[in-house]
Amino acid sequence: MTPFRLPDSQLEQLLHDDAPSGDATTHALAIGQLPGKMVFRARYEMVVCGSEEAQRLGELRGLQVVGGVVASGTRLPAGAEILTLTGDAAALHVVWKTAQTLMEYLSGIASSAADIVTAARQADPAASVVCTRKNFPGTKQAAMKAVLCAGASPHRLSLSETLLVFAEHRAFLGAETPAESLARLRRQWPERALVVEVADEAEALNWAAAGADILQLEKWSPAAVDRLHRQIPATRLAAAGGVNAGNAAAYVQAGALILVSSAPYFAAPRDVAVSITPLA
């Protein structure tokens, strides 16, 4: 089930960016009023995302949906139809590339994230995959939809609603002990989990003893994660840095049931094939 749809204001801006003064070619050829049909299909296997936005882009330009739309988050085989729109050629050509490209990029993120989720949960159904805030600036809302559609979750939607203590924070704490720092955070934000990123085993054990809720292990190997997990089995561990579908199972088996990944944002877009034909 799709978690939400991007608002019309964003979709209108996308359309405006691509055709600020209309479609010069369609206008010059004088074909804008002719009726036509546009069909979007998955060129290869994919987890589709952005299909609701593609539908709405068409509706905003007066196009009609034929036969419904495949919901974001659906895994499709190659050749599967996603969406069919009908209407005048001018609207079809204005909507075409914006709708296609949006689906391709979001489906790339969703497909990659879904592969990591599948690999992690095959190792342990209790494993979770969370995607970082390293999405391209300005695309956060769309990227989050793709992540959620894949069965993953946001790691941190923003700096404003999570507590994650980095070494860069600790550099300003002077002689304050880990226990003192965590106590201050708990007083200030009593309902938040306290997450601390640690670089090595000594740091991890120190912050675990102080009461950190989650230790984030940046670029640790699965073997190093396993050694730590055996020493502090009650502390939740999050593996971060370089996590992907190829190593997700190894990290989960080592004891990191939270996998933090930016990999989906850098995945290749999934091709969406588009055909536009005239209607008699």
Side-chain angles (χ1 to χ4, degrees), residues 10 135-141:
Q10 289 189 26
N135 46 276
F136 190 82
T139 67
K140 179 178 289 186
Q141 192 172 11

Side-chain angles (χ1 to χ4, degrees), residues 15 34-41 50-70 81-100 103 272-279:
L15 290 170
L34 299 177
K37 178 175 73 171
M38 179 162 58
V39 181
F40 299 85
R41 296 181 184 276
S51 48
E52 296 83 10
E53 285 73 18
Q55 173 185 345
R56 186 59 182 157
L57 286 164
E59 292 171 344
L60 289 171
R61 291 299 176 266
L63 299 176
Q64 303 297 313
V65 179
V66 178
V69 60
V70 174
E81 183 177 325
I82 301 169
L83 172 67
T84 295
L85 298 170
T86 61
D88 63 58
L92 290 172
H93 282 87
V94 165
V95 169
W96 172 17
K97 282 298 178 183
T98 298
Q100 178 187 25
M103 279 197 288
V272 172
V274 180
S275 63
I276 299 177
T277 54
L279 290 176

Side-chain angles (χ1 to χ4, degrees), residues 186-241:
R186 288 195 196 282
R187 284 194 301 271
Q188 189 70 26
W189 292 92
E191 297 177 306
R192 298 294 191 273
L194 303 185
V195 187
V196 182
E197 184 173 278
V198 292
D200 55 41
E201 190 173 292
E203 277 191 355
L205 294 174
N206 196 17
W207 284 94
D213 296 312
I214 300 171
L215 296 179
Q216 182 163 297
L217 314 178
E218 175 70 12
K219 292 183 169 63
W220 287 42
S221 68
V225 173
D226 181 65
R227 286 194 299 271
L228 180 65
H229 176 61
R230 291 176 187 278
Q231 295 178 75
I232 49 172
T235 300
R236 288 191 289 168
L237 304 179

